[in-house]
Amino acid sequence: MSAIFLKRFLQRPFQVASIIPSSRTLIRRVTGKMDFSQPRVIAEYGPGEGCHTREIVRRMHPDSSLILFELDPEFAQHLEEQFRGDSRVTVLNSDAALLCQELTKRGLNHCDYIVSGIPFSILEPEKKRELLRSTYDSLAPHDHSAFIIYQVTNELVGHCGHFPRRESEYCLQNLPPMFVTKFYKTANGHAHGLNGHSRNGNGNH
């Protein structure tokens, strides 16, 4: 699975942002922050070759929906081929900023979870703000609803003050090591499978 990842990294290093897919440990940390016991609407930004996607699909409830936003056309085609037989999965070769419109198209009001591995640090400030606001608006107003990111730096925390609560941990078992941060839509969210430190939106434990 890593051949296509390496190829696209060499062709588009700033968009792909990593030379190898995520480790099994990082994938478990990310998916462990979601409750799959009920039908959920999930979106993933920048799934790449699908290493996190495969685990999400494996754990998802039969009545869940997963919408993938992948800008790279070759990755998008690769994802289409992987999940062609699963009606729960929709692959879109388009910008994650269109999430609200895509939910409306499908008669869906909100997402329960939004997962992202895209390198927010390279986005233009205005683009970053728009995407974060759209992400927040697209999440259901439920205690479990959350935006889950894995990033090399945790700089995005400084741009997510509109999320009332967050939890973050550092995954050393990945190359490169990653911060995994869960931003809750409401102040009363509860963690699912968190192994690291908890921190709320104002920085207090």
Side-chain angles (χ1 to χ4, degrees):
M1 284 294 183
S2 60
I4 186 173
F5 207 94
L6 176 59
K7 175 186 172 185
R8 298 311 281 168
F9 173 81
L10 294 173
Q11 292 171 337
R12 301 186 179 192
F14 293 107
Q15 185 171 305
V16 177
S18 178
I19 199 165
I20 57 173
S22 298
S23 69
R24 291 297 305 164
T25 300
L26 178 61
I27 293 167
R28 285 194 296 269
R29 296 279 182 92
V30 171
T31 54
K33 303 208 180 306
M34 291 180 269
D35 176 5
F36 295 101
S37 65
Q38 299 178 40
R40 304 294 190 197
V41 176
I42 304 167
E44 185 180 1
Y45 299 164
E49 59 86 40
C51 57
H52 288 268
T53 315
R54 287 189 290 277
E55 184 66 11
I56 293 170
V57 169
R58 188 183 74 80
R59 296 192 186 198
M60 270 194 333
H61 189 281
D63 296 322
S64 289
S65 297
L66 175 61
I67 304 173
L68 308 177
F69 289 87
E70 178 52 63
L71 279 175
D72 186 290
E74 193 161 333
F75 275 148
Q77 182 180 353
H78 182 67
L79 292 163
E80 282 273 14
E81 291 167 0
Q82 276 191 78
F83 302 108
R84 184 167 287 140
D86 195 328
S87 61
R88 300 173 300 171
V89 182
T90 301
V91 180
L92 300 173
N93 181 205
S94 61
D95 197 314
L98 298 174
L99 174 58
C100 288
Q101 295 94 307
E102 293 296 339
L103 289 172
T104 301
K105 269 190 206 176
R106 290 160 178 77
L108 300 169
N109 294 321
H110 297 100
C111 285
D112 294 287
Y113 299 110
I114 299 172
V115 181
S116 177
I118 62 174
F120 274 86
S121 58
I122 69 168
L123 296 181
E124 294 291 332
E126 186 57 35
K127 170 74 172 174
K128 187 184 303 189
R129 281 192 293 269
E130 286 178 8
L131 184 52
L132 290 173
R133 175 54 62 184
S134 171
T135 297
Y136 180 85
D137 291 343
S138 297
L139 284 167
H142 302 146
D143 289 351
H144 68 266
S145 299
F147 176 42
I148 301 161
I149 63 167
Y150 50 99
Q151 306 271 290
V152 173
T153 74
N154 219 11
E155 65 93 23
L156 201 59
V157 166
H159 302 276
C160 288
H162 50 304
F163 288 90
R165 183 170 179 255
R166 73 176 187 270
E167 296 167 333
S168 190
E169 63 177 301
Y170 196 46
C171 180
L172 287 166
Q173 296 83 14
N174 193 73
L175 189 63
M178 292 270 186
F179 287 94
V180 181
T181 304
K182 182 174 184 177
F183 298 95
Y184 287 94
K185 177 65 180 264
T186 75
N188 300 314
H190 297 288
H192 294 287
L194 183 71
N195 298 313
H197 297 292
S198 296
R199 188 179 292 275
N200 66 18
N202 61 15
N204 296 323
H205 287 293

